[in-house]
Amino acid sequence: MDLALDSIQELIQENARRFLAAELDSEKIRDIEASPDGFSQTLWNGMVELGWAGVALPEIYGGGGRGILDLCVLAEEMGRAAASTPLVVSAGLASTILRSVPTGPRAEELLNKLAAKGGVVTVALVEPDGRNERSAPSLQLADGGDAMKITGEKMLVPYASVATEIIVSARNADGEIVLLAVSTGADGLELSRHNT
């Protein structure tokens, strides 16, 4: 397996390094980390304009159609610059989950939002009594009349305070594990930040 970067990936790496060096210094990094959300909308908007949010997504969703290795190149450069952004969780993990479920209008809407508009989608998989994200969820999905209802708690949800949607794992009435896209504006949803 050849892991050498191709010419486009080298260009992505070079441009990412230049962009991050121009946008971040140690003072800005500390200010972002100390902010209420640990997030810079200005930095994120710049990344979205450069196509980073959709680099690994197919063109049908407004993405760059490149692949996960290109996202890894960006993640490496973000680590090099100590840039704290939701890119990996949103453009990587959330988009991979959305692409793995049967195609539907909701998944397509979120993938388009991720790629073209820089929407932040995060994931809520870990529960207080679970060992890790692979532990079976105990959250229960129930019919709430006009809409479905879930009850319970998730933890370690990266960038939840700036996300528009959270992909949540739960169990339905038959005991099957399901994934739900929950709007961060949903009634009854409470977010608590835990500083690390």
Side-chain angles (χ1 to χ4, degrees):
M1 175 182 240
D2 182 14
L3 295 177
L5 301 181
D6 65 26
S7 59
I8 294 175
Q9 289 160 346
E10 288 177 350
L11 186 61
I12 289 170
Q13 182 182 55
E14 191 178 301
N15 287 336
R17 193 169 292 178
R18 190 178 311 117
F19 171 78
L20 292 167
E23 294 295 318
L24 294 173
D25 58 28
S26 58
E27 185 178 336
K28 285 183 184 175
I29 291 167
R30 281 196 281 282
D31 288 345
I32 291 169
E33 288 297 320
S35 70
D37 295 317
F39 171 79
S40 167
Q41 188 67 55
T42 304
L43 180 64
W44 181 246
N45 290 344
M47 292 176 167
V48 171
E49 285 177 30
L50 290 170
W52 294 14
V55 70
L57 286 171
E59 293 173 6
I60 59 169
Y61 301 119
R66 289 289 302 164
I68 198 72
L69 184 54
D70 295 61
L71 183 60
C72 290
V73 169
L74 292 171
E76 181 178 36
E77 290 306 312
M78 288 186 340
R80 186 176 191 274
S84 180
T85 76
L87 185 71
V88 173
V89 72
S90 193
L93 182 58
S95 70
T96 300
I97 290 171
L98 288 168
R99 290 177 57 206
S100 71
V101 298
T103 305
R106 185 73 171 122
E108 288 181 16
E109 173 194 342
L110 291 176
L111 287 167
N112 282 313
K113 187 186 285 189
L114 275 169
K117 298 177 182 147
V120 176
V121 178
T122 190
V123 294
L125 305 176
V126 180
E127 297 183 3
D129 58 348
R131 294 181 60 137
N132 58 41
E133 65 275 3
R134 291 183 178 91
S135 297
S138 61
L139 247 65
Q140 293 295 311
L141 174 66
D143 187 354
D146 294 341
M148 301 305 286
K149 179 180 176 182
I150 53 174
T151 304
E153 182 179 352
K154 294 286 186 176
M155 56 187 266
L156 305 176
V157 183
Y159 295 97
S161 63
V162 297
T164 56
E165 305 283 337
I166 303 173
I167 299 172
V168 180
S169 60
R171 287 192 179 276
N172 66 15
D174 297 329
E176 300 168 322
I177 296 174
V178 295
L179 295 171
L180 307 146
V182 178
S183 169
T184 52
D187 289 339
L189 178 67
E190 290 182 29
L191 303 176
S192 300
R193 180 173 179 178
H194 296 272
N195 293 320
T196 60

